[in-house]
Amino acid sequence: MIEYIIGVDGGGSGTRVRLARLDGQELAQGQSGPSGLGLGIERAWTSVAHAVTLAFRAAGLEQPSLQRMAIGLGLAGVHNKQWAASFVEHNPGYALVALESDALTTLLGAHAGQPGVIVAIGTGSVGEVLHADGSRHEVGGWGFPSGDEAGGAWIGMRAINHAQQVVDGRVPGSAFATAVIDACGGQRNAMQVWLAAASQTTYAQLARLVLEHAASNAVAHGILSDAGRQIALIARALDPAGTLPVALCGGLAAPLSSYLPAALLQLVVPAQGDSAAGGLRLISKHLQEQ
Amino acid sequence: MIEYIIGVDGGGSGTRVRLARLDGQELAQGQSGPSGLGLGIERAWTSVAHAVTLAFRAAGLEQPSLQRMAIGLGLAGVHNKQWAASFVEHNPGYALVALESDALTTLLGAHAGQPGVIVAIGTGSVGEVLHADGSRHEVGGWGFPSGDEAGGAWIGMRAINHAQQVVDGRVPGSAFATAVIDACGGQRNAMQVWLAAASQTTYAQLARLVLEHAASNAVAHGILSDAGRQIALIARALDPAGTLPVALCGGLAAPLSSYLPAALLQLVVPAQGDSAAGGLRLISKHLQEQ
C-alpha cells in the first residue's frame, strides 16, 4: 500500500526531495549531495536515500518501508539511456519509480503540469515545452563548450576570453577585465594555470563578475545581451506561435531577466513550483495511470 | 668539434627536422612522430632522435656521434617551464641545445631572423613579434576552448553550435548545416555522442566544411570573417604601428587569407622558411654567441 509520494530534483551539485501524502499534501523537504547519473548509479541512489530520510525526519515521521512510497525523479544524465535503465534496475525497493530528465520535472513544476515553456539557465542551459496535446519537445542542452548558450559556463568563457585579449593588449582594459583577471590569479601565468584546470563549473563562477559589471561595462553588457537573445531563440523554437507561458528557471534566470528581448518578456510568468514539485506531479500522474 | 646543426619543429602531430652543415648549408630533412612536451620528455627526445637519424639517412651520411651536433628546437609545450627544464636536462649528448617555443622558431623561419610578425593558425592560434631591438612579444595562444581565436578548433566549435541550433529549429537549415550534421553522425543522438568524445583536434576537423561552404553560406562566411578580424586583432596588438611585415603560418593561413581585413593584407608577406628552418637559425645564433 503506497502511503507517500516523493519528488526528487537531482543534479551535479545536490539533491532536493519533496515528501507528500498520496493525495499530494506536501509534508517536508530533504536535501543531500549530488545525484546526477554521471557520478554513478550507486551514488545517485545513496544521495536520494539520504535526502528521503532527512525529509521524513523534517516531517516528524518515522520512515516506513520503501514499499510504502512511490518516487518521481528528475535527474541530470537521464539522456544517457544506459545510465537511466541501470538506475531504474537498481531501485532499492520503492513501490513505483518514474525517472525523467530534470528539464521535464522543471517543466511540470513550473507550470503545475499545464502546457507551457521553460528555459532553465544554470551552469548550462536547456529549454522544454509541454503542448496542450501532451507532446513535449526539447531545445538546447547540447552541453559545454559548444552549446548551453546563456548558461554560466558560456558567460564565463566569454568573460575570460575578453580578459585574455586585454592582457595581450588586443582590446582596452577596464575594471571588468581587471576583476576577471584577478579572479583567475592576477597575471598571465596564473591565468594559464587557472585555464589548464578550468571546467564548466569554474568557468561558470566568472558569470557573477559579468553580472556585477554589466551596468558599467559595454563588453559585460554585450555578453549578457547576447545571452538574452539566445534565451529568446530557445523559447521561440519551443513555441513559434508565442502563445504559451514561459517560465525561466535556474540560478541565472532572475539576474538575466533584464537582458531579455521585450517580445519574450511579455510571455514570461513566474514558475509555480520547482523541479522537486515537478517530480511529485510526475509520480502522481504515473500512479493515476496505473 | 661541432660539424652539423639541426633545426627541429615539434608538436602534437609530428616532428620535422632540418639537417645542415655548420655553415648553414642545408643537407636533408627527416620526419617522425609527435614531440610536444605535453606527451612526455622521453617521447619527445625519442621522436627527435628518430627524425635526426632519418635526416642523416636522407643526406646519405653516416650519423656521427651526438657531440658533433648542435640542435635548435621549437617545441609545443615549452610554456610549461618545468617541462622545458626537464627536456634540456635530459639532453642525450648534443654539444649544444637551444629550446624555444614553436612560435619563436616559426617567427625566425618566416622572416629569416629579421624583425617581423607571425600569426600561426592551425588547430590553435598564436602570434609573435620580433622587433628591431631584438625584443619579442607573444599574443594569443591561450588555448582551447576559451582562446585560440581563428584556429581550426575555434572555427569548428562555431560550426557545430550552428548545427545544433539548426537541429533544434532555432535557426534555418542549409547545405552547410547539413554537411556539419552529417560529419557528426547525421542525427541528434549521434551528434551528442560525437560531442561527448570531441577534442580540440576533432572540432578542428570541421573547419574544412566551413571553408567549403563559405562562398555560398552566410553563416559559414560570417565565422570566417570573424576569424579574419581576430587574426587582424592579434597582428595589430603585436605591431600597433603596422610597420613590420606579417607572415601567416600554419595550415589555415592560406585558406583564411581571403577573409583578412584590407589593412592587414597590405602588410602580409610570404613566409621565407618554416619552423624547422627557424630552429636552424636559433641554434646558429646560439653558436655565434658562445
mmCIF file of all heavy atoms in Angstrom, chain B residues 230-255:
data_model
loop_
_atom_site.group_PDB
_atom_site.id
_atom_site.type_symbol
_atom_site.label_atom_id
_atom_site.label_comp_id
_atom_site.label_asym_id
_atom_site.label_seq_id
_atom_site.Cartn_x
_atom_site.Cartn_y
_atom_site.Cartn_z
ATOM 1 N N GLN B 230 39.781 38.463 -36.006
ATOM 2 C CA GLN B 230 40.565 38.042 -34.836
ATOM 3 C C GLN B 230 42.058 37.983 -35.176
ATOM 4 O O GLN B 230 42.903 38.371 -34.363
ATOM 5 C CB GLN B 230 40.087 36.676 -34.323
ATOM 6 C CG GLN B 230 38.664 36.682 -33.748
ATOM 7 C CD GLN B 230 38.549 37.473 -32.457
ATOM 8 O OE1 GLN B 230 39.538 37.671 -31.743
ATOM 9 N NE2 GLN B 230 37.361 37.956 -32.138
ATOM 10 N N ILE B 231 42.374 37.514 -36.384
ATOM 11 C CA ILE B 231 43.781 37.479 -36.811
ATOM 12 C C ILE B 231 44.331 38.906 -36.884
ATOM 13 O O ILE B 231 45.455 39.180 -36.447
ATOM 14 C CB ILE B 231 43.909 36.753 -38.171
ATOM 15 C CG1 ILE B 231 43.544 35.271 -38.018
ATOM 16 C CG2 ILE B 231 45.327 36.900 -38.740
ATOM 17 C CD1 ILE B 231 43.353 34.536 -39.336
ATOM 18 N N ALA B 232 43.521 39.819 -37.402
ATOM 19 C CA ALA B 232 43.951 41.212 -37.508
ATOM 20 C C ALA B 232 44.157 41.835 -36.124
ATOM 21 O O ALA B 232 45.102 42.605 -35.911
ATOM 22 C CB ALA B 232 42.923 42.012 -38.307
ATOM 23 N N LEU B 233 43.296 41.505 -35.166
ATOM 24 C CA LEU B 233 43.445 41.993 -33.784
ATOM 25 C C LEU B 233 44.771 41.518 -33.191
ATOM 26 O O LEU B 233 45.468 42.277 -32.503
ATOM 27 C CB LEU B 233 42.319 41.442 -32.907
ATOM 28 C CG LEU B 233 41.104 42.290 -32.584
ATOM 29 C CD1 LEU B 233 40.187 41.533 -31.630
ATOM 30 C CD2 LEU B 233 41.506 43.630 -31.973
ATOM 31 N N ILE B 234 45.109 40.256 -33.437
ATOM 32 C CA ILE B 234 46.369 39.699 -32.923
ATOM 33 C C ILE B 234 47.552 40.431 -33.561
ATOM 34 O O ILE B 234 48.479 40.870 -32.868
ATOM 35 C CB ILE B 234 46.443 38.169 -33.211
ATOM 36 C CG1 ILE B 234 45.391 37.430 -32.377
ATOM 37 C CG2 ILE B 234 47.846 37.629 -32.926
ATOM 38 C CD1 ILE B 234 45.200 35.964 -32.761
ATOM 39 N N ALA B 235 47.508 40.597 -34.892
ATOM 40 C CA ALA B 235 48.620 41.249 -35.607
ATOM 41 C C ALA B 235 48.788 42.691 -35.146
ATOM 42 O O ALA B 235 49.903 43.167 -34.946
ATOM 43 C CB ALA B 235 48.382 41.176 -37.114
ATOM 44 N N ARG B 236 47.669 43.394 -34.942
ATOM 45 C CA ARG B 236 47.749 44.801 -34.549
ATOM 46 C C ARG B 236 48.295 44.946 -33.132
ATOM 47 O O ARG B 236 49.045 45.881 -32.836
ATOM 48 C CB ARG B 236 46.386 45.471 -34.660
ATOM 49 C CG ARG B 236 46.477 46.987 -34.652
ATOM 50 C CD ARG B 236 45.157 47.624 -35.008
ATOM 51 N NE ARG B 236 44.096 47.201 -34.107
ATOM 52 C CZ ARG B 236 42.796 47.420 -34.304
ATOM 53 N NH1 ARG B 236 42.386 48.045 -35.380
ATOM 54 N NH2 ARG B 236 41.906 47.014 -33.436
ATOM 55 N N ALA B 237 47.933 44.003 -32.244
ATOM 56 C CA ALA B 237 48.470 44.061 -30.878
ATOM 57 C C ALA B 237 49.978 43.797 -30.868
ATOM 58 O O ALA B 237 50.704 44.335 -30.038
ATOM 59 C CB ALA B 237 47.750 43.039 -29.992
ATOM 60 N N LEU B 238 50.449 42.989 -31.822
ATOM 61 C CA LEU B 238 51.879 42.675 -31.894
ATOM 62 C C LEU B 238 52.684 43.854 -32.443
ATOM 63 O O LEU B 238 53.826 44.065 -32.056
ATOM 64 C CB LEU B 238 52.096 41.434 -32.775
ATOM 65 C CG LEU B 238 51.635 40.114 -32.163
ATOM 66 C CD1 LEU B 238 51.509 39.036 -33.231
ATOM 67 C CD2 LEU B 238 52.587 39.662 -31.055
ATOM 68 N N ASP B 239 52.081 44.607 -33.362
ATOM 69 C CA ASP B 239 52.778 45.733 -34.001
ATOM 70 C C ASP B 239 51.769 46.858 -34.248
ATOM 71 O O ASP B 239 51.283 47.029 -35.369
ATOM 72 C CB ASP B 239 53.398 45.266 -35.327
ATOM 73 C CG ASP B 239 54.078 46.414 -36.070
ATOM 74 O OD1 ASP B 239 54.574 47.340 -35.395
ATOM 75 O OD2 ASP B 239 54.098 46.379 -37.316
ATOM 76 N N PRO B 240 51.465 47.619 -33.191
ATOM 77 C CA PRO B 240 50.410 48.645 -33.301
ATOM 78 C C PRO B 240 50.692 49.666 -34.406
ATOM 79 O O PRO B 240 49.756 50.182 -35.021
ATOM 80 C CB PRO B 240 50.419 49.299 -31.920
ATOM 81 C CG PRO B 240 50.996 48.279 -31.010
ATOM 82 C CD PRO B 240 51.993 47.531 -31.827
ATOM 83 N N ALA B 241 51.963 49.932 -34.682
ATOM 84 C CA ALA B 241 52.289 50.927 -35.705
ATOM 85 C C ALA B 241 52.054 50.372 -37.113
ATOM 86 O O ALA B 241 51.931 51.135 -38.072
ATOM 87 C CB ALA B 241 53.742 51.369 -35.551
ATOM 88 N N GLY B 242 52.004 49.057 -37.240
ATOM 89 C CA GLY B 242 51.768 48.464 -38.555
ATOM 90 C C GLY B 242 52.906 48.674 -39.535
ATOM 91 O O GLY B 242 52.685 48.871 -40.728
ATOM 92 N N THR B 243 54.152 48.609 -39.039
ATOM 93 C CA THR B 243 55.300 48.851 -39.920
ATOM 94 C C THR B 243 56.054 47.570 -40.271
ATOM 95 O O THR B 243 56.859 47.577 -41.204
ATOM 96 C CB THR B 243 56.292 49.814 -39.247
ATOM 97 O OG1 THR B 243 56.652 49.293 -37.969
ATOM 98 C CG2 THR B 243 55.670 51.189 -39.063
ATOM 99 N N LEU B 244 55.826 46.505 -39.514
ATOM 100 C CA LEU B 244 56.578 45.260 -39.745
ATOM 101 C C LEU B 244 55.826 44.343 -40.710
ATOM 102 O O LEU B 244 54.596 44.359 -40.765
ATOM 103 C CB LEU B 244 56.787 44.534 -38.408
ATOM 104 C CG LEU B 244 57.691 45.240 -37.396
ATOM 105 C CD1 LEU B 244 57.666 44.503 -36.056
ATOM 106 C CD2 LEU B 244 59.123 45.333 -37.935
ATOM 107 N N PRO B 245 56.567 43.525 -41.457
ATOM 108 C CA PRO B 245 55.907 42.542 -42.318
ATOM 109 C C PRO B 245 55.228 41.462 -41.471
ATOM 110 O O PRO B 245 55.712 41.106 -40.397
ATOM 111 C CB PRO B 245 57.060 41.946 -43.127
ATOM 112 C CG PRO B 245 58.276 42.155 -42.283
ATOM 113 C CD PRO B 245 58.047 43.437 -41.526
ATOM 114 N N VAL B 246 54.092 40.960 -41.965
ATOM 115 C CA VAL B 246 53.321 39.935 -41.253
ATOM 116 C C VAL B 246 53.290 38.676 -42.099
ATOM 117 O O VAL B 246 52.848 38.714 -43.258
ATOM 118 C CB VAL B 246 51.874 40.410 -40.997
ATOM 119 C CG1 VAL B 246 51.055 39.305 -40.338
ATOM 120 C CG2 VAL B 246 51.861 41.678 -40.139
ATOM 121 N N ALA B 247 53.757 37.564 -41.543
ATOM 122 C CA ALA B 247 53.658 36.280 -42.234
ATOM 123 C C ALA B 247 52.601 35.428 -41.531
ATOM 124 O O ALA B 247 52.637 35.289 -40.316
ATOM 125 C CB ALA B 247 55.004 35.559 -42.230
ATOM 126 N N LEU B 248 51.673 34.905 -42.309
ATOM 127 C CA LEU B 248 50.677 33.990 -41.750
ATOM 128 C C LEU B 248 51.166 32.577 -41.968
ATOM 129 O O LEU B 248 51.534 32.212 -43.094
ATOM 130 C CB LEU B 248 49.330 34.199 -42.436
ATOM 131 C CG LEU B 248 48.786 35.625 -42.345
ATOM 132 C CD1 LEU B 248 47.468 35.733 -43.096
ATOM 133 C CD2 LEU B 248 48.606 36.033 -40.888
ATOM 134 N N CYS B 249 51.224 31.799 -40.896
ATOM 135 C CA CYS B 249 51.771 30.445 -40.961
ATOM 136 C C CYS B 249 50.725 29.447 -40.490
ATOM 137 O O CYS B 249 49.697 29.815 -39.948
ATOM 138 C CB CYS B 249 53.019 30.347 -40.088
ATOM 139 S SG CYS B 249 54.215 31.674 -40.377
ATOM 140 N N GLY B 250 51.012 28.164 -40.681
ATOM 141 C CA GLY B 250 50.106 27.119 -40.231
ATOM 142 C C GLY B 250 49.135 26.734 -41.334
ATOM 143 O O GLY B 250 48.952 27.459 -42.322
ATOM 144 N N GLY B 251 48.492 25.592 -41.149
ATOM 145 C CA GLY B 251 47.651 25.001 -42.182
ATOM 146 C C GLY B 251 46.467 25.854 -42.608
ATOM 147 O O GLY B 251 45.976 25.724 -43.733
ATOM 148 N N LEU B 252 45.960 26.726 -41.728
ATOM 149 C CA LEU B 252 44.792 27.523 -42.090
ATOM 150 C C LEU B 252 45.157 28.918 -42.599
ATOM 151 O O LEU B 252 44.269 29.712 -42.924
ATOM 152 C CB LEU B 252 43.827 27.632 -40.899
ATOM 153 C CG LEU B 252 43.004 26.373 -40.632
ATOM 154 C CD1 LEU B 252 42.187 26.513 -39.346
ATOM 155 C CD2 LEU B 252 42.057 26.088 -41.801
ATOM 156 N N ALA B 253 46.462 29.224 -42.659
ATOM 157 C CA ALA B 253 46.875 30.571 -43.073
ATOM 158 C C ALA B 253 46.406 30.865 -44.499
ATOM 159 O O ALA B 253 45.799 31.912 -44.752
ATOM 160 C CB ALA B 253 48.388 30.698 -42.963
ATOM 161 N N ALA B 254 46.688 29.969 -45.426
ATOM 162 C CA ALA B 254 46.337 30.219 -46.824
ATOM 163 C C ALA B 254 44.818 30.305 -47.013
ATOM 164 O O ALA B 254 44.323 31.293 -47.566
ATOM 165 C CB ALA B 254 46.958 29.144 -47.716
ATOM 166 N N PRO B 255 44.043 29.310 -46.537
ATOM 167 C CA PRO B 255 42.589 29.401 -46.775
ATOM 168 C C PRO B 255 41.931 30.605 -46.101
ATOM 169 O O PRO B 255 40.909 31.091 -46.584
ATOM 170 C CB PRO B 255 42.042 28.081 -46.228
ATOM 171 C CG PRO B 255 43.146 27.446 -45.483
ATOM 172 C CD PRO B 255 44.420 27.997 -45.987
#
